């Protein structure tokens, strides 16, 4: 293949390749020899460009012939103009090359970037052309394909080889066309020779007759008419002219001889003498008549012969008979190497075609049958000799055979030889005359086309459009349909279309059966031999070949392309529907439906997993109508081995569960739910398995990577949708909690202010107390907000926060001791305010009022379960002597009632002389309660 690496070396001929003549005069002479310029379109060349376009997936293909001032297109596909000037020619750059010229981007190549075909709107961008080179080595043009988009990768090696093969086949068709023109000239020459021969025959006084047995028409030439006394324009017939003009004594005998000659079982010969009479009965001539029956296979077509005046022409009888016989046989012989074998003398006469076709000069070869047999290929010789001897020694009239014949240069030609026997009246062999046709080039072209046919990367089938029977099929289509050649050839192609598409198929077949010439591209479904449905892109071409109408279908498997399109559409649909899903159940239902339908599953869905409770729940799944739904709650132990693998974050892709030893412990559960193949994509949150998306198949299934990727894509979108719903729900909860806490805080602040200002006597001290209590309330909120929102706070943290302002750094000033307890928001606020009041009193009158004073808070849990009780003791040591207060203010009431209203607790304060002791008792459940 030639493809440009730089402007200077682009498309150069290979080193050592034969020199290609590119001169204008040589090219003009070569094109004149072919006689091809400005001729009408021909199907063979149209088929070549169609096949080139299909092979290279190009919209445009041309057979371009380059003259001195233009390029003319013998065949064109996707190009309207029949010719262009050389300024618009790309094919002219192939002249002088032997390989395919590939220009990936015409705009980037110095030779073509300014070509009007390239610079025009929607101009050409890609070119590949195989040079057309005559056997004499003259470049006359190219077979090319073009595209409107560049192809950086050019063509594949197979496409390059196929394009070169098609170019050679085009040149072969040119050669065959030139041979046909030469043959027509030979036929014309033969007709002229026949005319001269007829004139010569008439000059000798011989008459001829031709009796058409099919139509019953009898023809006499002028001489015969004269011998029978019939005018030149008088109609003649066997019963009305021939028999009445015979002498009465010769009439019956001659009629019997004619009928014997016409007998299909007879020798087919007529040799008779008779007398003719005038209308008045007078004797005219004594004639010698000879005739023969002309057969084509088993059919008798004509009875031809001659008549002559025996008296005048007896001496010329032998020469005239031979001339007449050669004339008759010449009409049956082919127009190739003609031979005449005298079997009596073993003398063979060849015509000049023996030298033209095979290099043997007739006058220099030994004129015997032995010379001919010696030049048959050794592997074919015995078979050919036995075959021809069987005809000669038997009763047959015709012989034909294909074999290899050695040329004068030692090479072998593939030939088709046939001959006709000449026997005497007793059936003894006298001569055989025949013709040898060279099939070498035809077989080579046929082989090239067969190689293209078999090697094509698309399925090809030839169909009889009237019966829909497949006539020929290549290996690629057998692979696409998953069938043997014998399953397709000889059978109707209709059986490969699924029944649900029968109406569309039948409409197409009716058009074909009606003889419509078609060139269409369509997409349709097929059902393979294994029952699987596939999609195919079909290029359908029907054409007339001779008297036959043939249809060729080129089929490309686009099943995966269709699957990709379906998955893309499904993901778009999934995104649209997930945006509108109001809850998790709707999300799982939408995902299950789209996943199941797109991949053709038996079941699909989303599972919520609670590993702590040991169960999983499927809110909503999708099934194909055959599989049972798994919606509901189930124990995880049913699929313990599967869960273990999913917990590691592994995407589980199993083609056959029964063949996976790792899932053997779960085999019974899978079998019970008719699951043989599956894909499971886990959802892990902070390392914990919380959910999974599953795809089930009732039969073993080899999952394709694209299918696994689709399931993962659906899973990602499901996770995102669930995360969105969860975030929205959390936001709603936070909004409600914020509102609730704000109301509680305002209520608490109002109560503190109301109680603090009751019975006020000293405004300054009241202000200080109110500020301190509000600060304590704020610190309690800080503790709550530093935790998990509505989850509450640790008991020790609540106590430490309330006492923080009294911790002056003295060792053991404050001691907290007890088990860890997470108290709810309500209990935390009340407890914080209680401890704040106790600490404020201690700072005024007790342990915090003097250096060395100590405060300890200890708590324990008594009992278990719903009856568990928390006991907390506030004790002061090292402070001034304690006196019992004479009245109770808000602080005292807050201490006594702080927990009773909030969690149902009780408080008892003991004013012992050596330090205040406050005992608080509250149910554990109340402290833990979340709002």
């Amino acid at each position: 293949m030639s493809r440009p690496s730089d402007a200077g070396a682009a498309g150069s001929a290979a080193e050592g390749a034969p020199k290609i003549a590119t001169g204008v005069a040589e090219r003009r002479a070569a094109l004149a020899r072919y006689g091809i310029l400005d001729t009408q379109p021909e199907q063979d060349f149209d088929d070549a460009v169609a096949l080139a376009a299909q092979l290279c997936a190009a919209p445009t293909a041309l057979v371009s012939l380059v003259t001195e001032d233009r390029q003319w297109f013998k065949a064109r596909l996707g190009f309207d103009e029949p010719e262009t000037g050389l300024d618009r020619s790309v094919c002219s750059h192939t002249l002088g090359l032997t390989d395919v010229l590939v220009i990936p981007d015409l705009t980037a190549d110095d030779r073509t970037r300014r070509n009007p075909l390239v610079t025009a709107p929607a101009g050409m961008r890609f070119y590949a052309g195989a040079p057309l080179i005559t056997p004499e080595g003259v470049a006359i043009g190219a077979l090319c394909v073009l595209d409107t988009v560049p192809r950086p990768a050019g063509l594949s090696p197979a496409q390059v080889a196929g394009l070169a093969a098609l170019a050679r086949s085009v040149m072969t068709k040119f050669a065959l066309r030139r041979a046909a023109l030469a043959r027509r000239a030979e036929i014309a020459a033969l007709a002229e020779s026949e005319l001269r021969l007829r004139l010569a025959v008439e000059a000798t006084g011989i008459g001829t007759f031709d009796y058409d047995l099919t139509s019953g028409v009898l023809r006499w030439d002028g001489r015969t008419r004269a011998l029978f006394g019939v005018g030149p324009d008088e109609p003649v017939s066997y019963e009305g002219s021939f028999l009445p003009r015979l002498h009465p004594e010769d009439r019956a005998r001659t009629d019997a001889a004619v009928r014997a000659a016409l007998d299909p079982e007879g020798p087919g010969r007529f040799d008779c003498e008779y007398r003719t009479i005038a209308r008045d009965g007078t004797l005219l001539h004594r004639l010698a008549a000879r005739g023969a029956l002309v057969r084509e296979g088993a059919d008798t077509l004509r009875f031809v012969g001659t008549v002559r005046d025996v008296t005048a022409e007896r001496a010329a009888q032998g020469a005239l008979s031979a001339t007449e016989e050669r004339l008759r046989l010449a009409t049956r012989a082919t127009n190739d190497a003609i031979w005449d074998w005298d079997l009596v003398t073993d003398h063979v006469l060849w015509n000049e075609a023996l030298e033209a076709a095979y290099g043997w000069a007739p006058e220099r070869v030994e004129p015997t049958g032995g010379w001919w047999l010696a030049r048959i290929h050794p592997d074919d010789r015995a078979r050919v000799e036995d075959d021809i001897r069987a005809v000669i020694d038997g009763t047959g009239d015709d012989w034909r055979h294909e074999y290899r014949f050695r040329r004068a240069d030692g090479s072998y030609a593939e030939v088709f030889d046939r001959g006709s026997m000449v026997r005497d009246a007793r059936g003894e062999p006298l001569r055989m005359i025949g013709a040898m046709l060279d099939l070498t080039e035809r077989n080579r072209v046929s082989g090239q086309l067969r190689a293209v046919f078999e090697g094509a990367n698309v399925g090809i089938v030839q169909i009889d459009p009237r019966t829909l029977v497949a006539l020929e099929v290549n290996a690629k289509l057998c692979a696409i349909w998953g069938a043997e050649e014998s399953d397709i050839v000889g059978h109707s192609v209709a059986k490969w279309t699924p029944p649900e598409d029968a109406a569309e198929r039948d409409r197409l077949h009716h058009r074909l059966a009606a003889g419509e010439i078609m060139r269409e591209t369509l997409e349709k479904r097929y059902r393979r031999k294994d029952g699987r449905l596939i999609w195919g892109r079909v290029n359908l071409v029907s054409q007339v070949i001779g008297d036959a109408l043939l249809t060729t279908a080129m089929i490309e498997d686009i099943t995966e392309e269709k699957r990709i399109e379906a998955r893309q559409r499904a993901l778009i649909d999934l995104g649209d529907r997930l945006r509108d899903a109001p809850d998790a159940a709707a999300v799982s239902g939408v995902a299950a439906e789209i996943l199941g339908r797109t991949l053709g599953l038996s079941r699909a869905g989303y599972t919520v997993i609670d590993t702590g409770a040991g169960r999983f729940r499927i809110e909503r799944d999708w099934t194909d109508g055959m599989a049972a739904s798994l919606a509901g709650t189930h124990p995880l132990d049913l699929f313990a081995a599967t869960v273990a693998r999913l917990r590691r974050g592994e995407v589980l892709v199993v083609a056959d569960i029964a063949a996976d030893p790792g899932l053997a412990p779960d085999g019974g559960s899978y079998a019970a739910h008719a699951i043989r193949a599956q894909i499971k994509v886990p959802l892990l949150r902070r390392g914990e398995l919380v959910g999974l998306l599953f795809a089930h198949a009732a039969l073993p299934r080899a999952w394709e990577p694209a299918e696994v990727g689709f399931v993962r894509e659906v899973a990602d979108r499901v996770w995102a949708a669930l995360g969105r719903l969860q975030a929205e729900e959390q936001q709603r909860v936070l909004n409600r909690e914020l509102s609730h806490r704000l109301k509680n805080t305002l209520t608490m602040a109002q109560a503190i202010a109301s109680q603090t200002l009751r019975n006020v006597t000293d405004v300054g001290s009241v202000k200080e107390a109110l500020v301190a209590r509000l600060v304590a309330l704020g610190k309690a909120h800080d503790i709550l907000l530093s935790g998990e929102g509505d989850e509450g706070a640790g008991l020790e943290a609540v106590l430490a926060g309330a006492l923080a302002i009294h911790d002056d750094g003295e060792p053991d000033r404050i001691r907290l001791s007890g088990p860890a307890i997470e108290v709810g928001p309500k209990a935390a606020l009340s407890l914080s305010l209680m401890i704040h009041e106790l600490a404020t009193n201690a700072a005024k009158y007790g342990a915090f009022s003097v250096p060395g004073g100590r405060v300890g808070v200890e708590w324990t849990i008594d009992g278990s379960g719903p009856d568990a009780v928390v006991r907390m003791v506030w004790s002061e040591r090292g402070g001034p002597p304690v006196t019992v207060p004479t009245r109770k203010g808000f602080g005292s009431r807050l201490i006594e009632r702080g927990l009773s209203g909030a969690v149902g607790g009780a408080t008892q304060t003991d004013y012992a002389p050596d330090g205040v002791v406050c005992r608080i008792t509250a149910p554990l459940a109340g402290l833990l309660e979340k709002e």
Side-chain angles (χ1 to χ4, degrees):
M1 178 181 74
S2 299
R3 58 178 299 176
S5 57
D6 55 58
S12 59
E15 183 177 354
K19 180 175 179 59
I20 304 302
T22 61
V24 173
E26 296 166 305
R27 190 160 66 254
R28 183 191 307 115
L31 289 170
R33 287 194 297 272
Y34 283 105
I36 194 72
L37 287 174
D38 300 315
T39 58
Q40 293 297 313
E42 296 179 49
Q43 189 64 49
D44 285 348
F45 301 103
D46 290 345
D47 289 345
V49 295
L51 191 55
Q54 177 65 30
L55 174 68
C56 301
T60 301
L62 304 168
V63 173
S64 173
L65 301 177
V66 181
T67 70
E68 62 269 28
D69 60 355
R70 60 172 176 153
Q71 63 173 356
W72 177 80
F73 307 127
K74 174 59 182 172
R76 63 188 191 273
L77 177 66
F79 198 88
D80 295 333
E81 299 174 84
E83 64 178 48
T84 71
L86 291 184
D87 63 320
R88 303 174 66 192
S89 172
V90 182
C91 291
S92 61
H93 297 297
T94 67
L95 301 179
L97 302 180
T98 58
D99 295 332
V100 175
L101 172 64
V102 177
I103 304 180
D105 190 345
L106 294 168
T107 64
D109 194 289
D110 291 339
R111 296 169 294 181
T112 59
R113 68 175 64 208
R114 287 177 291 276
N115 190 305
L117 287 179
V118 179
T119 59
M124 297 300 177
R125 294 292 302 278
F126 169 79
Y127 174 88
L132 300 176
I133 303 172
T134 71
E136 298 80 17
V138 179
I140 62 174
L143 169 65
C144 70
V145 294
L146 300 101
D147 204 345
T148 55
V149 294
R151 299 188 184 183
L155 297 180
S156 68
Q159 289 174 320
V160 170
L163 192 62
L166 285 173
R168 292 193 295 273
S169 73
V170 168
M171 287 307 303
T172 300
K173 294 179 191 299
F174 282 163
L176 293 175
R177 191 180 185 282
R178 181 170 65 179
L181 292 175
R183 198 69 67 203
R184 285 196 289 271
E186 291 178 7
I187 292 172
L190 180 59
E192 184 178 355
S193 297
E194 290 176 349
L195 176 61
R196 289 196 299 268
L197 180 61
R198 181 173 59 80
L199 295 175
V201 169
E202 291 178 354
T204 63
I206 300 174
T208 63
F209 64 88
D210 185 349
Y211 189 17
D212 189 331
L213 301 177
T214 302
S215 63
V217 175
L218 176 64
R219 296 181 180 88
W220 284 346
D221 68 352
R223 177 59 178 163
T224 302
R225 288 174 176 272
L227 293 175
F228 278 84
V230 176
D233 299 324
E234 184 178 346
V236 296
S237 65
Y238 184 82
E239 291 82 2
S241 304
F242 176 73
L243 291 178
R245 296 302 179 93
L246 295 179
H247 193 282
E249 295 177 359
D250 301 335
R251 191 172 296 148
R253 173 178 53 82
T254 303
D255 183 46
V258 170
R259 295 185 182 280
L262 297 180
D263 185 358
E265 302 298 323
R269 300 288 178 182
F270 174 71
D271 189 351
C272 188
E273 289 189 11
Y274 49 78
R275 292 163 291 174
T276 60
I277 58 175
R279 291 183 186 276
D280 59 2
T282 58
L283 183 66
L284 295 178
H285 301 283
R286 177 177 293 275
L287 305 178
R290 288 189 176 183
L293 197 61
V294 178
R295 294 187 176 96
E296 285 289 345
D299 299 322
T300 56
L301 304 179
R302 302 165 67 192
F303 183 51
V304 297
T306 62
V307 296
R308 58 189 175 83
D309 189 348
V310 176
T311 305
E313 303 296 336
R314 174 71 67 178
Q317 178 180 1
L320 184 60
S321 177
T323 300
E324 182 275 332
E325 188 175 29
R326 286 188 181 182
L327 176 63
R328 177 180 63 84
L329 295 174
T331 62
R332 300 176 58 190
T334 62
N335 293 320
D336 217 291
I338 299 175
W339 46 269
D340 184 345
W341 187 4
D342 187 330
L343 299 172
V344 178
T345 63
D346 190 25
H347 184 276
V348 180
L349 179 66
W350 296 89
N351 71 347
E352 295 80 0
L354 181 68
E355 183 174 14
Y358 307 104
W360 300 105
E363 67 276 9
R364 296 180 183 177
V365 303
E366 180 184 331
T368 65
W371 179 88
W372 165 67
L373 285 170
R375 274 137 193 88
I376 296 176
H377 193 283
D379 294 343
D380 302 338
R381 189 177 301 145
R383 177 167 43 85
V384 174
E385 184 173 11
D386 291 344
D387 190 35
I388 197 169
R389 285 297 175 192
V391 174
I392 294 172
D393 297 339
T395 59
D397 292 329
D398 297 301
W399 167 82
R400 63 189 61 208
H401 212 103
E402 288 191 27
Y403 58 88
R404 289 165 288 180
F405 182 78
R406 183 159 59 87
R407 300 187 181 97
D409 62 5
S411 63
Y412 281 90
E414 299 174 5
V415 302
F416 173 64
D417 206 350
R418 62 178 180 175
S420 296
M421 285 294 304
V422 178
R423 302 180 187 274
D424 63 16
R426 297 172 298 172
E428 294 297 323
L430 298 178
R431 301 164 67 192
M432 180 179 281
I433 299 177
M436 188 165 62
L437 175 64
D438 189 345
L439 301 179
T440 306
E441 188 62 20
R442 191 196 72 176
N443 290 348
R444 186 182 68 81
V445 173
S446 177
Q448 291 175 345
L449 293 176
R450 169 58 56 182
V452 172
F453 179 82
E454 290 295 341
N457 198 34
V458 295
I460 305 176
V461 58
Q462 288 188 335
I463 306 166
D464 181 341
R466 294 181 174 86
T467 64
L468 303 182
V469 170
L471 306 176
E472 194 171 10
V473 65
N474 70 347
K476 181 64 176 181
L477 186 63
C478 292
I480 290 174
W481 285 354
E484 300 295 330
E485 182 178 352
S486 59
D487 295 326
I488 304 173
V489 175
H491 303 278
S492 172
V493 296
K495 72 176 186 177
W496 301 100
T497 299
E500 53 268 32
D501 297 346
E504 180 182 356
R505 173 202 65 197
D506 292 343
R507 284 193 295 272
L508 179 63
H509 290 169
H510 286 324
R511 294 172 59 194
L512 291 173
E516 181 178 342
I517 303 300
M518 300 178 63
R519 289 181 181 271
E520 290 191 14
T521 299
L522 53 98
E523 293 180 356
K524 69 184 302 293
R525 297 193 302 170
Y526 294 101
R527 188 174 295 281
R528 287 166 43 95
K529 184 178 180 180
D530 59 13
R532 183 161 56 89
L533 279 174
I534 62 171
W535 275 93
R537 182 177 291 114
V538 184
N539 287 313
L540 197 63
V541 179
S542 61
Q543 56 188 337
V544 177
I545 301 179
D547 295 329
L549 178 65
L550 291 181
T551 297
T552 301
M554 290 165 281
I555 302 171
E556 178 186 2
D557 187 347
I558 60 170
T559 305
E560 186 57 30
E561 180 180 322
K562 285 289 187 180
R563 288 175 179 167
I564 292 173
E565 291 176 359
R567 289 194 286 264
Q568 289 174 342
R569 289 194 301 269
L571 289 175
I572 293 172
D573 186 29
L574 177 66
D576 293 341
R577 295 175 64 182
L578 287 182
R579 278 194 295 271
D580 299 329
D583 52 38
V587 168
S588 60
V590 167
E593 176 193 348
I594 290 177
L595 182 60
R597 292 189 187 279
T598 303
L599 295 186
L601 305 172
S602 61
R603 186 188 296 108
Y606 174 71
T607 300
V608 177
I609 297 176
D610 187 344
T611 54
R615 61 176 179 265
F616 66 91
R617 179 169 182 78
I618 301 174
E619 290 289 346
R620 189 183 305 167
D621 60 3
W622 176 93
T623 70
D624 60 359
M626 303 292 292
S629 172
L630 294 181
T633 302
H634 309 276
L636 282 176
D637 291 343
L638 288 176
F639 302 100
T642 303
V643 171
R645 292 168 65 172
L646 293 170
R647 279 177 168 167
R648 298 194 294 267
E650 175 184 350
V651 175
L652 207 57
V653 181
V654 184
D656 187 356
I657 292 171
D660 189 332
L663 298 180
D666 300 344
S669 297
Y670 281 118
H673 295 92
I675 305 170
R676 280 297 297 272
Q678 66 177 350
I679 300 175
K680 288 185 174 176
V681 181
L683 171 61
L684 276 68
R685 185 175 292 128
R686 293 189 293 273
E688 184 71 20
L689 179 65
V690 296
L692 65 89
L693 186 73
F694 63 85
H696 290 167
L699 297 174
R701 176 168 174 172
W703 302 102
E704 298 176 2
E707 292 176 324
V708 177
F710 177 75
V711 177
R712 299 185 74 157
E713 182 72 20
V714 172
D716 289 342
R717 299 191 182 202
V718 169
W719 305 160
L722 292 175
R724 174 183 59 79
L725 290 173
Q726 185 178 23
E728 291 174 352
E729 178 60 25
Q730 287 178 344
Q731 185 62 49
R732 286 192 293 268
V733 171
L734 287 174
N735 290 340
R736 290 196 301 269
E737 176 64 17
L738 179 61
S739 175
H740 175 70
R741 290 196 178 177
L742 182 59
K743 291 178 182 177
N744 285 350
T745 301
L746 292 175
T747 301
M748 183 68 74
Q750 182 181 18
I752 291 172
S754 177
Q755 292 293 333
T756 304
L757 296 174
R758 184 179 299 169
N759 301 322
V760 173
T761 57
D762 183 356
V763 175
S765 63
V766 169
K767 177 181 178 182
E768 182 181 347
L770 179 59
V771 170
R773 287 165 181 166
L774 291 175
V775 168
L777 179 62
K779 288 185 176 294
H781 276 290
D782 290 340
I783 294 170
L784 290 176
L785 293 176
S786 66
E788 295 293 330
D790 61 352
E791 299 297 323
L795 177 59
E796 185 172 352
V798 172
L799 298 175
L803 295 172
I805 60 175
H806 302 288
D807 188 357
D808 56 5
E810 184 178 341
D812 296 327
R813 184 70 157 171
I814 301 170
R815 182 173 55 83
L816 305 178
S817 175
I821 300 175
E822 287 288 324
V823 296
K826 186 186 299 184
L829 283 173
S830 298
L831 189 59
S832 179
L833 291 174
M834 286 179 60
I835 297 301
H836 169 71
E837 292 299 329
L838 287 170
T840 299
N841 290 339
K844 290 180 178 181
Y845 316 113
F848 286 155
S849 65
V850 296
R854 304 285 186 269
V855 173
V857 183
E858 298 178 356
W859 63 93
T860 60
I861 300 175
D862 292 348
S864 61
D867 298 328
V869 175
V870 176
R871 302 187 187 279
M872 181 184 301
V873 179
W874 167 284
S875 60
E876 299 181 26
R877 293 289 183 270
V882 177
T883 59
V884 179
T886 58
R887 68 179 184 89
K888 292 183 178 181
F890 170 70
S892 299
R893 290 193 297 273
L894 181 60
I895 294 170
E896 292 177 356
R897 302 172 186 173
L899 284 180
S900 61
V903 299
T907 303
Q908 180 183 356
T909 305
D910 183 8
Y911 296 97
D914 56 347
V916 174
V917 176
C918 182
R919 293 178 175 84
I920 303 168
T921 305
L924 178 61
L927 290 176
L928 299 178
E929 183 181 1
K930 313 298 182 186
E931 291 188 83

